[in-house]
Amino acid sequence: MSNQKEIKNLKSFSTAAERFEGAHVLCPGCAHSIIVREILNATNDNLVVSAATGCLEVCTAIYPHTSWDCSWIHIGFENASTAIAGAESMHKALKRKGRIDANQKDPKFVAFGGDGATYDIGFQWISGCFERGHNMMYVCLDNEVYANTGGQRSSSTPIGASATTSPAGSTSYGEKQNKKDILAIMAAHGAPYVAQVAPNKWKDMVKKIQTGFETEGPVFINAMSACTTEWKFPMHKTVEASDLAVDSLVFPLYEIINGTELNITYRPKNIVPVRDYLAFQPRFKHLFKPEYAHIIEEWQRRVDAKWDYLQRREEARV
Amino acid sequence: MNKKIMELDSVEVWDGNMAAAQALRQADVDVVAAYPITPSTPTVENYAGFHANGYVDGEFVMVESEHAAMSACVGAAAAGGRVATATSSQGFALMIEVLYQASGMRLPITLIQVNRALAAPLNVNGDHSDMYLGRDSGWVNVCSFSPQEVYDLTLCSFRIGEHLDVRLPVIVNQDGFMCSHTAQNVNVLDDKTACDFVGTYKAVNSMLDFSKPVTHGVQTEENWHFEHKAKQHAALMGSTKVIDEVFAEFEKLTGRKYKRLETYKMEDAEVAIVALGTTYESAQIAADQMREKGIKAGVIAPRVIRPFPLEEMSAALQNVKAIACMDRSAPGGTVGALYNEICGALFNSPARPVVSNIIYGLGGRDMTITTLCEIYAELDKDAKSGKRNGPLQRFVGVRGPELGFYNV
Amino acid sequence: MSTKSIKEMGWNELVIGASLYSFENTINYNVAEVLPEDRHYAETNSKMAYVGDWRVFKPVWNSELCIDCQNCWLYCPDTSIISRDKKMVGVDYDHCKGCGICVEVCPTNPKSLLMFAEQVKNEEALTQWPEKSKGE
């Protein structure tokens, strides 16, 4: 029996009382905000939220305004995860000592971080939290660059993307490294639940978020956040960018339970060629020069191989 | 108070690490998030032992780095409870950005800092380079010179930091090895008395208080930042009142009197040494030996280096003729910190003693009573001639040619 | 309680740690169970701020064509599509930045939300609504 509220359909979802307020200063069309609204609206529990330095943090807690209708903390770039782990530890201690009402439902502890904070500078901190098994959810808002500071590359930046510190130029096709497989890494920590979500598939996201909230222990959610400013598509096309990402299988939606049960949770009716996903975003436009055709081919090969791998693992239940 | 009481003798034989760990235990800390580093490791290990044997009701979290330790402490403190940790040197350096964040966010946290040299070269022994690194971090900074003082000041640290007029984190310093690993008699309070002295934690803007959702750790632009840093500085400066009150209450309870500026035979001193850590105690012995020779020697130490007791320091040094400011930290291209702060205290006063700067004891190099007597003898010469007879800054105790700088 | 605006406060009057409260005074309800219009927001909540001047174009909502699918509510990054009891109520023009996502995701034909230049009055916009588009 779920301890989370029942959300049957979009109409019932829309009755949620928002806890993420407008007049933050995120870009018009920002997917971070869509994701955060979906997550916060998926539960009615008390929330203790943290955010790493980055777009979400800077734009929603810039003095003298806060966009959060819940307790919230930002410390620095690396340590959104550990901040929440500290709060969770305090909650445990106070409960044990009787300074918190034992009958009050436990709050949910949620840390948000961008791909910079998650894949790079804050990686050790998240690893530590997951190894220690804190009761928390970590949500990576993955826009594949350090967006807040103007779009520098991270280890989430996929190969061929033009970022400001791995720009496409006359002698370069942009980012040279492949995107780190963060979900595999977090699953390898023995986390009870990890999943990939995208804001255009709200039902899949809400189901996974609620599963995460019901799971004891650390939960990792990698959320695809299509960034109009850095991926350079028009601001009203954020949902279309997300659709292309999941329908081309560049960003497959799946979950891994206890490190072994892999479930693919979205199978596109019509799989879109990777080429179309890349063509949609000017950060990849240089890849369409004839000399880089092999990179697009390699992209398709890798996406196909990953999809194949996911399906085989799903079947093998390992 | 923790449910399981530990029966202690009224006098225990503890080193500085055990003294710190016991004080943390008695203070009923809610969350200790820590990482081991020499020479503060035994503080954490002792506390782990207490926890494993049921003497600690709070959470004990071994994190994966010192930066994570302080980060967890900040998150825990913002969640409204009593928090502490311990570190040294490289670990302190690693958590430095979080120290500034903790104080800026006005979160009481006690940090047991066992002072150790900063690499490179790598050195695990006691000096004050890590203490000096944290000078501007906005924490209340107190110095203990013996295990007894570690115990006493750790208990006081919670009262100071958590006071509603302060709400700042507190560092309790002690010399690595010389204090942390040297066992001495420590007069201790029983668990209940110690815990009652520390008192109940008062939560301010707790994240677990859902009747008042609060946002911590915002960004302030150029139109707001200055006000908040000014407010923080004012709180740190104003903490002197609370520190004095806590010290007074502690004296009533134990008979042990602490002052923000500690002095030894300074009333009639003509020559003085300013030093921190175990050197303060060694210098007392040297001062007594010099007095037998007819030299009016005194010792002075800022017990509380932040907020710096500038007015008290200035007053105490008005009649002194020659002062040696002894800094146990590599000065990094200028005069030592104590020299700067003492001269700063004296400049806007009538006194014009001869002031010199001695760099000593780096990496745990011993500062002996004999050498301290030699320093006093040099000061006596300075006092009698009314000027220094050498460079302003001298390295004392290093093998090789004489090393001195600034011939002003 | 202080009635002074934060904008008029000196360093000595601000909340320590630059912390910000979401609501005025303490609350005795679960925020997630109380609609925004029944909450007592603090002036430091961004809900009380205005970003309407970010817009060059604004979405205009045509309630006659709307089927209350809630797509626009779901995908608005600025919590600016207001829905109550599973029905669309309108656009929060104080917080709408004019990104146009709501128009993109509107499934009706013609759309129930369309972008118009900021200076066009809504009533006028509604009279300029396009006809159903064929052959798509």
Side-chain angles (χ1 to χ4, degrees):
Chain A
M1 173 77 174
S2 168
N3 69 4
Q4 294 300 303
K5 64 175 175 180
E6 195 184 0
I7 298 171
K8 280 202 195 98
N9 49 43
L10 187 50
K11 277 191 191 253
S12 60
F13 192 32
S14 76
T15 61
E18 308 272 2
R19 286 192 278 180
F20 186 67
E21 300 293 351
H24 52 67
V25 299
L26 289 161
C27 298
C30 176
H32 278 15
S33 180
I34 304 174
I35 295 164
V36 170
R37 281 186 58 228
E38 288 183 25
I39 291 173
L40 263 51
N41 286 336
T43 182
N44 280 3
D45 290 348
N46 280 322
L47 290 166
V48 180
V49 174
S50 74
T53 312
C55 283
L56 183 71
E57 168 266 328
V58 167
C59 297
T60 62
I62 186 160
Y63 205 85
H65 291 115
T66 175
S67 302
W68 301 88
D69 293 337
C70 61
S71 294
W72 186 92
I73 183 168
H74 157 256
I75 310 177
F77 200 178
E78 313 88 327
N79 50 17
S81 56
T82 313
I84 275 300
E88 184 254 12
S89 301
M90 181 56 76
H91 181 259
K92 281 225 286 279
L94 296 183
K95 218 172 143 183
R96 181 184 308 123
K97 293 186 179 187
R99 288 180 11 223
I100 279 181
D101 181 4
N103 294 319
Q104 187 187 60
K105 193 179 181 199
D106 289 347
K108 297 300 179 216
F109 294 94
V110 184
F112 286 100
D115 52 289
T118 307
Y119 287 63
D120 292 345
I121 201 169
F123 187 62
Q124 168 219 306
W125 286 249
I126 299 169
S127 179
C129 288
F130 273 65
E131 182 271 326
R132 293 190 298 276
H134 293 280
N135 220 7
M136 59 182 275
M137 176 184 289
Y138 188 96
V139 180
C140 175
L141 298 166
D142 192 352
N143 55 22
E144 300 186 335
V145 277
Y146 290 75
N148 186 228
T149 44
Q152 296 79 35
R153 63 90 64 189
S154 78
S155 62
S156 166
T157 306
I159 196 165
S162 183
T164 59
T165 49
S166 59
S170 58
T171 58
S172 170
Y173 58 81
E175 174 61 38
K176 299 287 188 317
Q177 312 302 329
N178 280 299
K179 187 184 168 93
K180 204 151 85 170
D181 188 347
I182 199 76
L183 219 66
I185 296 170
M186 296 319 299
H189 279 72
Y193 187 72
V194 307
Q196 288 209 147
V197 300
N200 56 320
K201 298 297 179 199
W202 76 270
K203 216 166 186 184
D204 179 75
M205 160 123 41
V206 166
K207 186 157 182 278
K208 287 168 172 163
I209 295 300
Q210 291 196 331
T211 302
F213 280 146
E214 291 166 340
T215 303
E216 276 281 319
V219 169
F220 186 87
I221 304 287
N222 201 35
M224 198 221 78
S225 190
C227 177
T228 165
T229 304
E230 297 306 337
W231 299 13
K232 310 201 190 300
F233 55 82
M235 63 182 175
H236 59 289
K237 294 207 175 271
T238 303
V239 176
E240 188 176 341
S242 313
D243 283 337
L244 284 165
V246 303
D247 288 332
S248 64
L249 303 173
V250 167
F251 198 85
L253 301 181
Y254 62 103
E255 62 188 6
I256 307 177
I257 300 166
N258 291 322
T260 55
E261 285 176 53
L262 191 150
N263 300 317
I264 295 170
T265 56
Y266 173 68
R267 292 180 141 82
K269 274 204 226 48
N270 299 305
I271 297 175
V272 164
V274 169
R275 183 179 200 83
D276 292 358
Y277 169 75
L278 299 173
F280 189 76
Q281 305 162 60
R283 64 174 171 148
F284 292 118
K285 70 174 186 287
H286 53 282
L287 293 182
F288 289 85
K289 288 194 233 174
E291 63 261 39
Y292 296 136
H294 65 285
I295 304 222
I296 298 184
E297 282 160 24
E298 179 63 18
W299 257 90
Q300 187 67 64
R301 255 199 298 278
R302 284 184 151 262
V303 168
D304 290 344
K306 181 67 187 275
W307 184 240
D308 188 44
Y309 164 80
L310 290 173
Q311 290 174 100
R312 281 191 284 127
R313 225 183 116 175
E314 183 185 41
E315 201 184 301
R317 311 312 282 160
V318 292
Chain B
M1 191 167 92
N2 295 307
K3 283 200 210 69
K4 188 171 172 187
I5 291 177
M6 187 181 288
E7 296 295 339
L8 299 167
D9 290 333
S10 60
V11 179
E12 293 279 349
V13 179
W14 287 343
D15 62 20
N17 276 319
M18 181 55 87
Q22 285 284 8
L24 293 181
R25 180 188 64 79
Q26 290 185 323
D28 193 17
V29 179
D30 297 315
V31 172
V32 166
Y35 190 79
I37 181 167
T38 308
S40 57
T41 302
T43 297
V44 178
E45 289 173 328
N46 293 336
Y47 196 82
F50 299 152
H51 184 262
N53 286 297
Y55 289 106
V56 171
D57 295 342
E59 281 292 292
F60 176 65
V61 188
M62 283 307 289
V63 294
E64 76 288 352
S65 83
E66 290 93 345
H67 187 294
M70 189 48 65
S71 303
C73 284
V74 171
R82 183 166 290 152
V83 177
T85 189
T87 197
S88 309
S89 175
Q90 312 306 128
F92 186 78
L94 186 62
M95 59 162 75
I96 199 83
E97 68 159 347
V98 198
L99 297 179
Y100 280 74
Q101 289 154 347
S103 63
M105 289 165 71
R106 304 292 300 277
L107 296 169
I109 297 167
T110 286
L111 170 59
I112 304 297
Q113 162 102 310
V114 179
N115 301 123
R116 159 186 152 179
L118 280 168
L122 186 65
N123 176 293
V124 301
N125 293 303
D127 78 21
H128 297 157
S129 38
D130 54 5
M131 186 202 302
Y132 285 16
L133 178 63
R135 278 179 297 159
D136 292 355
S137 58
W139 287 52
V140 174
N141 233 302
V142 308
C143 298
S144 350
F145 310 146
S146 68
Q148 176 74 67
E149 297 185 354
V150 173
Y151 175 76
D152 292 345
L153 292 173
T154 301
L155 291 176
C156 289
S157 69
F158 296 101
R159 286 289 301 276
I160 296 166
E162 291 171 17
H163 194 283
L164 294 178
D165 294 342
V166 178
R167 296 313 279 196
L168 285 167
V170 182
I171 300 177
V172 181
N173 291 288
Q174 60 174 295
D175 281 0
F177 285 102
M178 291 167 281
C179 180
S180 66
H181 284 64
T182 306
Q184 290 185 321
N185 284 356
V186 178
N187 296 286
V188 308
L189 300 167
D190 63 272
D191 281 7
K192 182 165 193 316
T193 309
C195 193
D196 285 347
F197 171 75
V198 178
T200 331
Y201 178 85
K202 290 177 276 291
V204 172
N205 296 336
S206 160
M207 291 204 295
L208 294 176
D209 178 4
F210 301 110
S211 74
K212 206 176 175 80
V214 61
T215 289
H216 285 285
V218 301
Q219 166 154 327
T220 49
E221 291 294 300
E222 70 282 351
N223 56 343
W224 285 108
H225 193 77
F226 205 179
E227 280 68 31
H228 287 287
K229 297 314 278 185
K231 190 178 181 76
Q232 182 187 342
H233 181 74
L236 182 54
M237 297 297 268
S239 68
T240 51
K241 187 166 172 290
V242 170
I243 294 169
D244 289 344
E245 282 168 11
V246 173
F247 283 172
E249 198 183 313
F250 192 80
E251 187 193 357
K252 253 176 92 177
L253 180 69
T254 63
R256 295 189 289 282
K257 184 187 174 77
Y258 289 93
K259 294 182 285 178
R260 284 183 292 106
L261 185 71
E262 300 289 2
T263 55
Y264 182 75
K265 299 195 173 165
M266 284 303 297
E267 299 78 18
D268 65 339
E270 290 183 347
V271 297
I273 280 176
V274 189
L276 290 166
T278 53
T279 310
Y280 179 71
E281 296 197 336
S282 307
Q284 289 175 327
I285 299 172
D288 284 345
Q289 289 182 4
M290 297 314 283
R291 281 192 175 254
E292 280 166 27
K293 296 196 186 124
I295 293 173
K296 294 195 178 141
V299 198
I300 190 162
R303 159 85 55 208
V304 176
I305 56 166
R306 291 291 182 270
F308 186 72
L310 187 144
E311 289 159 345
E312 293 84 350
M313 181 68 78
S314 181
L317 292 172
Q318 284 304 302
N319 298 318
V320 179
K321 296 194 176 123
I323 304 166
C325 301
M326 297 184 64
D327 283 295
R328 195 168 204 155
S329 174
T334 183
V335 286
L338 276 179
Y339 175 89
N340 266 333
E341 303 210 10
I342 270 66
C343 288
L346 287 170
F347 194 78
N348 287 297
S349 79
R352 282 292 178 272
V354 178
V355 190
S356 55
N357 177 216
I358 291 175
I359 306 301
Y360 78 101
L362 301 188
R365 176 64 50 88
D366 237 349
M367 171 48 67
T368 62
I369 293 165
T370 307
T371 310
L372 286 162
C373 288
E374 284 167 14
I375 292 168
Y376 273 126
E378 283 298 312
L379 285 174
D380 186 53
K381 278 202 216 122
D382 292 351
K384 290 190 165 74
S385 65
K387 58 181 169 66
R388 280 187 342 266
N389 56 0
L392 193 144
Q393 178 184 68
R394 290 189 293 133
F395 275 61
V396 169
V398 65
R399 292 186 299 275
E402 291 283 316
L403 193 58
F405 299 91
Y406 296 124
N407 286 293
V408 178
Chain C
M1 277 299 123
S2 169
T3 50
K4 199 173 188 179
S5 171
I6 194 173
K7 295 186 192 68
E8 296 158 29
M9 289 184 187
W11 63 264
N12 55 322
E13 298 165 295
L14 297 166
V15 173
I16 64 167
S19 292
L20 294 167
Y21 300 123
S22 308
F23 302 104
E24 257 180 17
N25 312 320
T26 56
I27 59 175
N28 57 3
Y29 50 81
N30 179 354
V31 183
E33 288 166 3
V34 172
L35 290 171
E37 47 269 31
D38 298 325
R39 300 173 190 163
H40 300 98
Y41 288 101
E43 64 162 336
T44 48
N45 194 307
S46 72
K47 177 131 176 96
M48 310 311 285
Y50 178 79
V51 290
D53 51 0
W54 289 37
R55 286 194 306 272
V56 178
F57 294 95
K58 63 175 173 180
V60 176
W61 177 57
N62 189 323
S63 58
E64 314 245 309
L65 297 169
C66 177
I67 60 172
D68 293 316
C69 72
Q70 312 299 323
N71 272 4
C72 54
W73 167 85
L74 174 70
Y75 291 122
C76 176
D78 294 290
T79 322
S80 294
I81 299 289
I82 310 303
S83 175
R84 292 288 177 267
D85 297 317
K86 306 180 183 179
K87 289 197 172 57
M88 297 310 303
V89 172
V91 176
D92 177 350
Y93 287 109
D94 284 352
H95 299 142
C96 169
K97 293 172 185 151
C99 72
I101 286 179
C102 54
V103 172
E104 276 295 292
V105 301
C106 179
T108 62
N109 184 2
K111 286 184 185 276
S112 310
L113 283 155
L114 286 171
M115 300 304 279
F116 286 84
E118 184 64 22
Q119 58 270 34
V120 175
K121 285 194 167 49
N122 283 12
E123 307 83 71
E124 205 195 312
L126 288 168
T127 66
Q128 295 169 20
W129 220 262
E131 294 294 315
K132 181 176 179 139
S133 59
K134 298 180 174 53
E136 281 207 41

